[in-house]
Amino acid sequence: MERRYFVYLLASKPRGTLYVGVTNDLTRRVFEHRLGTRPGFTSRYHIQRLVWFKIHETAMAAIQREKRLKAWLRQWKIDLVEKHNPEWRDLFDEIALG
């Protein structure tokens, strides 16, 4: 089975606090953010809405993309989300059910 890696953006609300992460299991990881199972930034600021993600074939590519996104200005991240998800819909149900 081919392994996939994900870079993702979570938001507390539309144009709210943003979080950039990387994982090999997007459904599990977003679910963990929602449950607040790991103390940290996302649980402290209630950042649970999956608003953007990208699939990569290698861990190295995903990690590099995550590092680039983390270095971006906030407005660039907002522009990225709004280009692909202008309503700031929570994409979790789509990935969990699809």
Side-chain angles (χ1 to χ4, degrees):
M1 183 170 139
E2 182 178 315
R3 197 158 253 299
R4 300 184 312 172
Y5 303 88
F6 303 86
V7 178
Y8 61 96
L9 273 165
L10 299 177
S12 58
K13 61 183 180 180
R15 293 181 160 255
T17 306
L18 300 174
Y19 173 82
V20 178
V22 64
T23 185
N24 66 352
D25 187 339
L26 187 59
T27 304
R28 175 191 50 79
R29 189 66 187 110
V30 174
F31 190 67
E32 289 173 351
H33 285 296
R34 288 173 173 239
L35 291 177
T37 57
R38 296 184 184 178
F41 185 79
T42 58
S43 61
R44 189 174 329 128
Y45 295 101
H46 307 288
I47 304 169
Q48 302 174 346
R49 182 188 302 230
L50 177 66
V51 293
W52 177 88
F53 67 93
K54 181 158 175 81
I55 301 169
H56 293 275
E57 293 182 12
T58 67
M60 181 63 75
I63 291 166
Q64 288 174 342
R65 177 69 170 170
E66 178 200 28
K67 287 181 180 181
R68 281 195 302 268
L69 281 176
K70 285 185 174 192
W72 280 16
L73 296 174
R74 174 181 165 73
Q75 186 59 51
W76 296 355
K77 295 172 196 170
I78 290 170
D79 293 345
L80 176 67
V81 172
E82 291 185 343
K83 178 179 179 184
H84 299 281
N85 184 4
E87 299 87 27
W88 290 77
R89 290 179 300 110
D90 187 348
L91 305 174
F92 180 74
D93 287 342
E94 293 174 30
I95 64 158
L97 302 175

